[in-house]
Amino acid sequence: MLGTFVPVLVYWAYSGLYVLVGSFDKYRLHSRKEEKAKNSASKGKVVVGVLVQQAFQIAVSLLLFTKQMAPKAEATTAKPSVLVVGMQFAVAMLVLDTWQYFIHRYMHINRFLYRHIHYKHHSLIVPFAYGALYNHPLEGLLLDTVGGAISFLVSGMTPRTAIFFFSFATIKTVDDHCGLWLPGNPLHVLFSNNSAYHDVHHQLFGGKYNFSQPFFVVWDKILGTYMPYSLEKRRDGGLEARPVKD
């Protein structure tokens, strides 16, 4: 139950923190005026859309954990060492990144899938924290829920470990869509795939680049879809991630 519901609670709690600090306009990657002008989905519609996706996520998660725990109760199994947990985290991160890169990229390449499925997420040209999981239900099921299930199964982590992994993945996803570049953010220090990197992808000029999510930029660099950027100050205040083309 914790493995299922804690990441959902983390999503709303962490994105709620970003709503509270959203008044820090000097750290915004887009102005409020630009957000209102470019985003075609209302905030209320986004909340409902995310809740629908999370309902699918909860159903699949409960089914998956039930199947995994049916042969034996976790309380009777030995707890994995810190080293084992670290390796499981690494494997799960790589598996999830690989799955999401290729599915995400294909949804951009295939015009039908982009127009009828993936465009819903890109209706938020200016991303914000609690819109991170605003997707078409089919995309949410395939990209996030199935991808998460595969990473869980391949890594061999326990449901207890999964609580921490999927909570961390949730925090990372929300952070990538927060639309802010806050100084001292440890996720920006540890990961090149961050809010500015993903913001480039959400802009019209970035639709063919920066598909990687949520952790690394490896596949973008290997397959030539990596677009670097520079952070510049806007004249009207705040920051802007400008692409740096070769």
Side-chain angles (χ1 to χ4, degrees), residues 139-174:
E139 177 183 351
L141 180 64
L142 182 63
L143 194 67
D144 299 312
T145 306
V146 174
I150 293 174
S151 64
F152 171 75
L153 293 172
V154 172
S155 66
M157 65 176 61
T158 65
R160 189 188 307 275
T161 301
I163 296 172
F164 297 97
F165 175 74
F166 289 116
S167 293
F168 175 59
T170 298
I171 288 173
K172 185 66 176 60
T173 299
V174 170

Coordinates of all heavy atoms in Angstrom, one line a residue, residues 139-174:
E139 N -0.9 7.4 -22.9 CA 0.5 7.7 -22.7 C 1.0 7.5 -21.3 O 2.1 7.0 -21.1 CB 0.8 9.2 -23.1 CG 2.3 9.6 -22.9 CD 2.6 11.0 -23.3 OE1 1.7 11.7 -23.8 OE2 3.7 11.5 -23.0
G140 N 0.2 8.0 -20.3 CA 0.6 7.8 -18.9 C 0.7 6.3 -18.6 O 1.7 5.9 -17.9
L141 N -0.2 5.5 -19.1 CA -0.1 4.1 -18.9 C 1.1 3.5 -19.5 O 1.8 2.7 -18.8 CB -1.4 3.4 -19.4 CG -1.5 1.9 -19.2 CD1 -1.6 1.5 -17.7 CD2 -2.7 1.4 -19.9
L142 N 1.4 3.8 -20.7 CA 2.5 3.2 -21.5 C 3.8 3.7 -21.0 O 4.8 2.9 -20.7 CB 2.3 3.4 -23.0 CG 3.4 2.8 -23.9 CD1 3.3 1.3 -23.8 CD2 3.1 3.2 -25.3
L143 N 4.0 5.0 -20.9 CA 5.2 5.7 -20.7 C 5.7 5.5 -19.2 O 6.8 5.1 -18.9 CB 5.2 7.1 -21.1 CG 6.5 7.9 -21.2 CD1 7.3 7.3 -22.3 CD2 6.3 9.4 -21.4
D144 N 4.8 5.9 -18.3 CA 5.1 6.0 -16.9 C 4.8 4.7 -16.1 O 5.6 4.2 -15.4 CB 4.4 7.2 -16.2 CG 4.8 8.5 -16.8 OD1 6.0 8.7 -17.0 OD2 3.9 9.3 -17.2
T145 N 3.5 4.2 -16.2 CA 3.1 3.1 -15.4 C 3.8 1.8 -15.9 O 4.4 1.1 -15.1 CB 1.6 3.0 -15.5 OG1 1.0 4.2 -15.1 CG2 1.1 1.9 -14.5
V146 N 3.7 1.5 -17.2 CA 4.4 0.3 -17.7 C 5.9 0.4 -17.5 O 6.6 -0.5 -17.1 CB 4.0 0.0 -19.1 CG1 4.8 -1.1 -19.7 CG2 2.5 -0.2 -19.2
G147 N 6.4 1.6 -17.8 CA 7.9 1.8 -17.7 C 8.3 1.6 -16.2 O 9.4 1.0 -16.0
G148 N 7.5 2.1 -15.3 CA 7.9 1.9 -13.9 C 7.8 0.4 -13.5 O 8.6 -0.1 -12.7
A149 N 6.8 -0.3 -14.0 CA 6.6 -1.7 -13.7 C 7.8 -2.5 -14.2 O 8.3 -3.4 -13.5 CB 5.3 -2.2 -14.3
I150 N 8.2 -2.2 -15.4 CA 9.4 -2.9 -16.0 C 10.6 -2.7 -15.2 O 11.4 -3.6 -14.9 CB 9.6 -2.5 -17.5 CG1 8.4 -3.0 -18.4 CG2 10.9 -3.1 -18.0 CD1 8.4 -2.5 -19.8
S151 N 10.9 -1.4 -14.8 CA 12.1 -1.1 -14.1 C 12.0 -1.8 -12.7 O 13.1 -2.2 -12.2 CB 12.2 0.4 -13.9 OG 11.1 1.0 -13.1
F152 N 10.9 -1.9 -12.1 CA 10.7 -2.6 -10.8 C 11.0 -4.1 -11.0 O 11.8 -4.6 -10.2 CB 9.3 -2.4 -10.3 CG 8.9 -3.2 -9.2 CD1 9.3 -2.9 -7.9 CD2 8.0 -4.3 -9.3 CE1 9.0 -3.7 -6.8 CE2 7.7 -5.1 -8.2 CZ 8.1 -4.8 -6.9
L153 N 10.5 -4.7 -12.0 CA 10.7 -6.1 -12.2 C 12.1 -6.5 -12.6 O 12.7 -7.4 -12.1 CB 9.7 -6.6 -13.3 CG 8.2 -6.6 -12.9 CD1 7.4 -7.0 -14.1 CD2 7.9 -7.5 -11.7
V154 N 12.7 -5.7 -13.5 CA 14.1 -6.0 -14.0 C 15.1 -5.8 -12.9 O 16.0 -6.5 -12.7 CB 14.4 -5.1 -15.2 CG1 15.9 -5.2 -15.5 CG2 13.6 -5.5 -16.4
S155 N 14.9 -4.7 -12.1 CA 15.9 -4.4 -11.0 C 15.8 -5.4 -9.8 O 16.7 -5.6 -9.1 CB 15.7 -3.0 -10.5 OG 14.4 -2.9 -9.8
G156 N 14.6 -6.1 -9.7 CA 14.5 -7.0 -8.6 C 14.3 -6.4 -7.2 O 14.4 -7.1 -6.2
M157 N 14.0 -5.1 -7.2 CA 13.8 -4.5 -5.9 C 12.5 -4.9 -5.2 O 11.6 -5.4 -5.8 CB 13.7 -2.9 -6.1 CG 12.6 -2.4 -6.8 SD 12.5 -0.6 -6.9 CE 14.0 -0.2 -7.8
T158 N 12.6 -4.8 -3.9 CA 11.4 -5.2 -3.1 C 10.4 -4.0 -3.1 O 10.8 -2.9 -3.4 CB 11.8 -5.5 -1.6 OG1 12.3 -4.2 -1.0 CG2 12.9 -6.5 -1.5
P159 N 9.2 -4.3 -2.7 CA 8.2 -3.2 -2.6 C 8.6 -2.1 -1.6 O 8.3 -1.0 -1.8 CB 6.9 -3.9 -2.1 CG 7.0 -5.3 -2.7 CD 8.5 -5.6 -2.6
R160 N 9.4 -2.5 -0.6 CA 9.9 -1.5 0.4 C 10.9 -0.6 -0.3 O 10.8 0.6 -0.1 CB 10.6 -2.2 1.6 CG 10.9 -1.3 2.7 CD 11.8 -2.0 3.7 NE 11.1 -3.3 4.2 CZ 10.2 -3.3 5.1 NH1 9.8 -2.2 5.7 NH2 9.7 -4.5 5.5
T161 N 11.8 -1.2 -1.1 CA 12.7 -0.3 -1.8 C 12.0 0.5 -2.9 O 12.4 1.7 -3.1 CB 13.8 -1.2 -2.5 OG1 14.5 -2.0 -1.6 CG2 14.8 -0.4 -3.3
A162 N 11.0 0.0 -3.5 CA 10.2 0.7 -4.5 C 9.6 1.9 -4.0 O 9.4 2.9 -4.7 CB 9.1 -0.3 -5.1
I163 N 9.2 1.9 -2.7 CA 8.6 3.2 -2.1 C 9.6 4.3 -2.3 O 9.2 5.4 -2.7 CB 8.4 3.0 -0.6 CG1 7.3 1.9 -0.4 CG2 7.9 4.3 0.1 CD1 7.2 1.5 1.1
F164 N 10.9 4.1 -2.0 CA 11.9 5.1 -2.1 C 12.2 5.4 -3.6 O 12.4 6.6 -3.9 CB 13.1 4.7 -1.3 CG 12.9 4.6 0.1 CD1 12.6 3.3 0.7 CD2 12.9 5.7 1.0 CE1 12.4 3.2 2.0 CE2 12.6 5.5 2.4 CZ 12.4 4.3 2.9
F165 N 12.3 4.4 -4.4 CA 12.7 4.7 -5.8 C 11.7 5.5 -6.5 O 12.0 6.5 -7.2 CB 13.0 3.3 -6.5 CG 13.2 3.6 -8.0 CD1 14.4 4.1 -8.4 CD2 12.3 3.3 -8.9 CE1 14.7 4.3 -9.8 CE2 12.5 3.5 -10.3 CZ 13.7 4.0 -10.7
F166 N 10.4 5.1 -6.4 CA 9.4 5.8 -7.2 C 9.0 7.1 -6.5 O 8.6 8.0 -7.3 CB 8.1 4.9 -7.3 CG 8.3 3.7 -8.2 CD1 8.2 2.4 -7.7 CD2 8.6 3.9 -9.5 CE1 8.4 1.3 -8.6 CE2 8.8 2.9 -10.4 CZ 8.7 1.6 -9.9
S167 N 9.3 7.3 -5.3 CA 9.2 8.6 -4.7 C 10.2 9.5 -5.2 O 10.0 10.7 -5.5 CB 9.2 8.5 -3.1 OG 8.1 7.8 -2.6
F168 N 11.5 9.0 -5.3 CA 12.5 9.8 -5.9 C 12.3 10.1 -7.4 O 12.5 11.3 -7.8 CB 13.9 9.0 -5.7 CG 15.0 9.7 -6.4 CD1 15.4 11.0 -6.0 CD2 15.8 9.1 -7.4 CE1 16.5 11.6 -6.6 CE2 16.8 9.7 -8.0 CZ 17.2 11.0 -7.6
A169 N 11.8 9.1 -8.1 CA 11.5 9.4 -9.6 C 10.4 10.4 -9.7 O 10.4 11.2 -10.6 CB 11.1 8.0 -10.2
T170 N 9.5 10.4 -8.8 CA 8.4 11.4 -8.8 C 8.9 12.8 -8.5 O 8.6 13.7 -9.2 CB 7.3 11.0 -7.8 OG1 6.7 9.7 -8.1 CG2 6.2 12.1 -7.7
I171 N 9.8 12.9 -7.5 CA 10.4 14.2 -7.2 C 11.2 14.7 -8.4 O 11.1 15.9 -8.8 CB 11.3 14.1 -6.0 CG1 10.4 13.9 -4.7 CG2 12.2 15.3 -5.8 CD1 11.2 13.6 -3.5
K172 N 11.9 13.8 -9.1 CA 12.7 14.2 -10.2 C 11.8 14.7 -11.4 O 12.1 15.7 -12.0 CB 13.6 13.0 -10.7 CG 14.5 13.3 -11.8 CD 15.6 14.3 -11.4 CE 16.6 14.5 -12.4 NZ 16.1 15.1 -13.7
T173 N 10.7 14.0 -11.6 CA 9.8 14.4 -12.7 C 9.2 15.7 -12.5 O 9.1 16.6 -13.3 CB 8.8 13.3 -12.9 OG1 9.4 12.0 -13.2 CG2 7.8 13.7 -14.0
V174 N 8.7 15.9 -11.2 CA 8.1 17.2 -10.9 C 9.1 18.3 -11.0 O 8.8 19.4 -11.5 CB 7.5 17.1 -9.4 CG1 7.1 18.5 -9.0 CG2 6.4 16.2 -9.4

